[in-house]
Amino acid sequence: MPGLDASGWHQQCQVLRALVFSESRRAQIDAADDLFGSLVRDDLGRFGERVIADLCTRRRRGAQSFESMYGDTLMGLRASARTDLLRRFCESSWFIRYGEVGDRRSQICFEEATYRFLCERGVGNEEVRRVEFLQAVTRALAVQPNCAFSVPDEVQRARFGLFALAPLAGKTLLFAIVTGRLVTGPVAPASAAFLRAFGHRPATSSLAQDDWDKVGEALAASGIVF
Amino acid sequence: MSWVRTPHVPFERGLGVGLDLRYGCAHGFVRTSVPEGGSEDRLAPRVRSFLQQHREDFVYAFFSFQPKDRALLDPRDYFPIWDRLVEDVPEYASLALHHTQLNLGTVDQVTDRSRLLDFTNAMIDRYDLRWVNEDVGIWAIDGKPMPYPLPPILTCEGLAACAGHVESIQKALCSPLVLEFPGFSDGSSFVLGQLDAYDFFRDLAEWTHSPVTLDTGHLLSYRWLRGCRGASLYDELDRLPLANCFEIHLSGCQLAGGRFLDLHHGVLLSEQLELLRRLIAKCPNLKAITFEDPKVNADGSLPTKARGPFEELLVIANRWIENAECEDRYARA
């Protein structure tokens, strides 16, 4: 069996990656022809459409499709614009970092990769976008606590589980996984402050210690204990 | 074929069934309520019913491994589900695993497969899985699953890389690894490289001393992609590693709008049955013929379109099995 020409193989792998995920690279077929000697444009185009469609619609337990995750963020965009957005996502650095197969804790989940991409492009309302992202990612983390992707920075680890906070129309929403259960909903300002401080009352807090403790007790009744 | 690590099975020749068990799918695992409250993943009732109806037809079964979520692979997450699966199916002479995660044609830098291989060996051990097979191809790139496995890159470099991955996995698995010829379904994949896929696959099997699965739909899809039609679909079979062939698959395919589609919808083409007859005559070490991914009605019966071809498959397979028995009696006489 012949040995492997490592540099030649590396080049072929890089070209394949570009062809599969990048519409702009697929347009540069000549370069690939030099390497592979045979390419069929129609096949590549159809495959690329299939990759996009799969990303749009694929559901796995704990995961949502792109459109259902960001329904409100994408409201007002025509179907063609949404598809175009996904094509551009496939060419972005966030797509490179996204992965869901294998043992790569360094990879980010689809929810985070699409969120970062949408933020970069300023798509939709910022608050709505963040809320939809946290809804999707905490749902994913609730289903697979031992996840094969990194936990986004917005989600904090605590003794009771995981949590994140997001402002929406003047309120604060909590997204928490409390002993494996998903808990979401608006929280009072005092509770939000308590959560942000991980239960440690800051010296500058407007709440007296007794009131602070009462907030903690109320959260503890829901299983939220630091 | 003494140099090939052939699966040990308690039958000389047998017809089996292959099931792709996806979660939340009507023909896979469905969420089922339990009396104590809550729910569990269970084999879809219609599939259970089909297997019971045909328990005399199949001597073995394979199950495709599909991940149920995006958690790190841990066999303890799957044991309860598969324990129930084995309870729900007839008692077969052998069980096997159709993998989807080995990624034998990968273009990624693979540094550590230990979790995946430990997981696979734990499943092999618990369920006495007699072989593990997977389509030689690219199932994921940089952690992103493909909608349909791409063929490996058909270059000399691709062949050497693939052989390296196969050997590495062979050494680590407790049951034999059976290589499956990849699919070239129209619209779902594309071909890169100048090597002929039949030659690539033969070289791969021979270099790595691997048993192989020849999937009739995959072979026909490749020939169709090469522009072959009619009788030429069956040409050049001798370029395949026929002596290494342990298993033949038949899963539903369709010709539509000039395109060959590997649909896995349970309806076999007459071309697949013709190819099966030809391969049976050419594969001296064939032991297993698998009807893959039947799609059944709610009562477990095959849809009308699927019944005729399936019955024809039964005739072909049973004649092949009976011939073995005749040959055996002749040899002992």
Side-chain angles (χ1 to χ4, degrees):
Chain A
M1 183 171 74
L4 175 62
D5 167 15
S7 69
W9 176 235
H10 177 73
Q11 194 179 18
Q12 290 170 24
C13 295
Q14 290 299 96
V15 172
L16 176 62
R17 277 192 184 83
L19 289 172
V20 168
F21 296 126
S22 168
E23 194 183 13
S24 59
R25 283 301 302 272
R26 280 199 291 276
Q28 301 163 27
I29 284 176
D30 289 345
D33 269 342
D34 288 342
L35 270 179
F36 293 117
S38 66
L39 222 47
V40 180
R41 291 166 193 265
D42 289 348
D43 282 351
L44 280 173
R46 279 200 295 267
F47 184 79
E49 293 303 318
R50 180 102 188 248
V51 169
I52 301 289
D54 194 58
L55 283 176
C56 276
T57 59
R58 176 158 33 89
R59 280 187 174 76
R60 195 174 287 169
R61 196 164 292 161
Q64 298 171 261
S65 67
F66 175 69
E67 297 225 13
S68 59
M69 266 199 284
Y70 295 105
D72 290 335
T73 299
L74 300 174
M75 198 182 306
L77 286 183
R78 287 196 306 272
S80 57
R82 297 173 189 213
T83 305
D84 186 58
L85 206 53
L86 268 178
R87 279 203 187 93
R88 293 182 193 281
F89 168 63
C90 289
E91 310 229 10
S92 73
S93 59
W94 299 110
F95 183 77
I96 291 171
R97 291 186 55 194
Y98 144 63
E100 56 181 80
V101 175
D103 203 350
R104 292 147 42 108
R105 288 292 189 116
S106 59
Q107 62 193 7
I108 62 176
C109 58
F110 185 68
E111 291 83 347
E112 181 177 0
T114 46
Y115 174 64
R116 303 281 179 232
F117 170 74
L118 292 172
C119 287
E120 216 167 56
R121 298 204 146 236
V123 176
N125 175 277
E126 184 181 339
E127 283 189 352
V128 168
R129 191 170 62 221
R130 182 181 167 106
V131 163
E132 291 193 310
F133 160 60
L134 290 175
Q135 269 173 348
V137 79
T138 49
R139 186 171 151 180
L141 290 167
V143 168
Q144 49 245 330
N146 190 20
C147 56
F149 51 82
S150 59
V151 175
D153 291 342
E154 288 86 349
V155 181
Q156 308 289 327
R157 291 189 187 276
R159 200 152 63 94
F160 62 83
L162 299 165
F163 76 97
L165 295 164
L168 184 67
K171 294 183 182 166
T172 301
L173 299 183
L174 169 67
F175 303 88
I177 299 164
V178 183
T179 53
R181 284 179 307 117
L182 196 55
V183 172
T184 61
V187 291
S191 298
F194 190 97
L195 286 160
R196 283 195 193 94
F198 283 75
H200 298 292
R201 177 177 166 274
T204 53
S205 173
S206 58
L207 283 181
Q209 186 66 53
D210 283 349
D211 294 328
W212 183 265
D213 292 343
K214 281 177 188 155
V215 171
E217 283 162 17
L219 287 170
S222 302
I224 296 176
V225 179
F226 286 98
Chain B
M1 208 170 59
S2 58
W3 64 94
V4 174
R5 193 181 168 195
T6 311
H8 290 291
V9 291
F11 52 85
E12 189 57 33
R13 295 179 181 178
L15 177 68
V17 63
L19 301 174
D20 185 14
L21 300 176
R22 294 171 189 263
Y23 292 81
C25 169
H27 288 84
F29 290 115
V30 295
R31 292 302 285 180
T32 308
S33 304
V34 293
E36 310 84 61
S39 58
E40 61 189 14
D41 290 303
R42 203 100 202 191
L43 181 64
R46 62 177 68 203
V47 177
R48 216 182 310 168
S49 179
F50 169 79
L51 295 177
Q52 283 301 329
Q53 290 172 34
H54 292 277
R55 61 186 173 278
E56 304 298 327
D57 293 325
F58 303 124
V59 300
Y60 68 86
F62 77 64
F63 308 125
S64 290
F65 171 71
Q66 296 287 356
K68 62 185 182 71
D69 51 36
R70 290 173 287 169
L72 291 170
L73 276 184
D74 186 334
R76 292 169 297 183
D77 292 340
Y78 291 85
F79 283 166
I81 303 167
W82 279 56
D83 285 353
R84 288 191 292 269
L85 171 64
V86 172
E87 280 170 19
D88 285 348
V89 303
E91 200 171 323
Y92 292 115
S94 292
L95 295 178
L97 178 68
H98 188 318
H99 225 313
T100 61
Q101 309 280 297
L102 299 177
N103 211 10
L104 300 171
T106 183
V107 296
D108 298 339
Q109 278 277 83
V110 179
T111 51
D112 185 8
R113 281 192 180 96
S114 54
R115 179 180 288 271
L116 173 66
L117 295 171
D118 288 346
F119 172 86
T120 306
N121 281 332
M123 299 293 276
I124 287 171
D125 182 53
R126 190 173 180 94
Y127 303 107
D128 191 20
L129 302 173
R130 295 304 181 96
W131 70 91
V132 175
N133 101 318
E134 185 169 292
D135 307 20
V136 175
I138 303 167
W139 290 73
I141 300 177
D142 294 337
K144 303 165 207 2
M146 296 291 99
Y148 182 88
L150 288 172
I153 295 182
L154 299 176
T155 59
C156 294
E157 294 85 354
L159 177 55
C162 201
H165 293 304
V166 168
E167 286 184 332
S168 160
I169 291 169
Q170 273 175 337
K171 283 186 186 124
L173 286 183
C174 298
S175 275
L177 175 64
V178 182
L179 308 181
E180 181 169 342
F181 185 86
F184 294 79
S185 187
D186 200 320
S188 301
S189 70
F190 54 89
V191 179
L192 292 175
Q194 328 80 332
L195 297 181
D196 183 277
Y198 279 19
D199 294 336
F200 180 103
F201 191 65
R202 183 195 63 248
D203 286 345
L204 179 67
E206 289 177 356
W207 288 348
T208 59
H209 306 290
S210 297
V212 304
T213 297
L214 298 178
D215 184 295
T216 54
H218 293 178
L219 295 176
L220 290 169
S221 70
Y222 180 64
R223 297 294 293 176
W224 189 270
L225 185 76
R226 297 291 301 273
C228 302
R229 301 291 185 267
S232 66
L233 286 168
Y234 313 113
D235 287 347
E236 301 185 307
L237 292 177
D238 291 333
R239 293 168 85 159
L240 291 164
L242 301 173
N244 293 47
C245 180
F246 162 76
E247 185 191 15
I248 293 174
H249 282 181
L250 296 100
S251 62
C253 296
Q254 187 177 335
L255 286 165
R259 298 165 61 200
F260 192 101
L261 305 170
D262 183 24
L263 295 180
H264 285 244
H265 65 344
V267 183
L268 304 178
L269 293 172
S270 59
E271 288 84 350
Q272 290 176 272
L273 296 166
E274 174 58 26
L275 180 56
L276 173 64
R277 288 188 194 93
R278 292 173 185 242
L279 287 172
I280 283 174
K282 288 179 173 288
C283 296
N285 300 301
L286 177 68
K287 282 183 173 285
I289 294 176
T290 308
F291 179 48
E292 192 180 10
D293 294 338
K295 294 293 181 281
V296 300
N297 297 321
D299 64 358
S301 63
L302 284 171
T304 311
K305 269 191 194 171
R307 276 180 221 157
F310 175 67
E311 277 154 23
E312 197 175 336
L313 169 62
L314 286 180
V315 168
I316 298 169
N318 287 331
R319 188 177 305 140
W320 166 66
I321 292 167
E322 282 160 16
N323 283 346
E325 289 159 11
C326 288
E327 288 161 23
D328 194 43
R329 283 199 296 275
Y330 180 76
R332 282 190 272 114

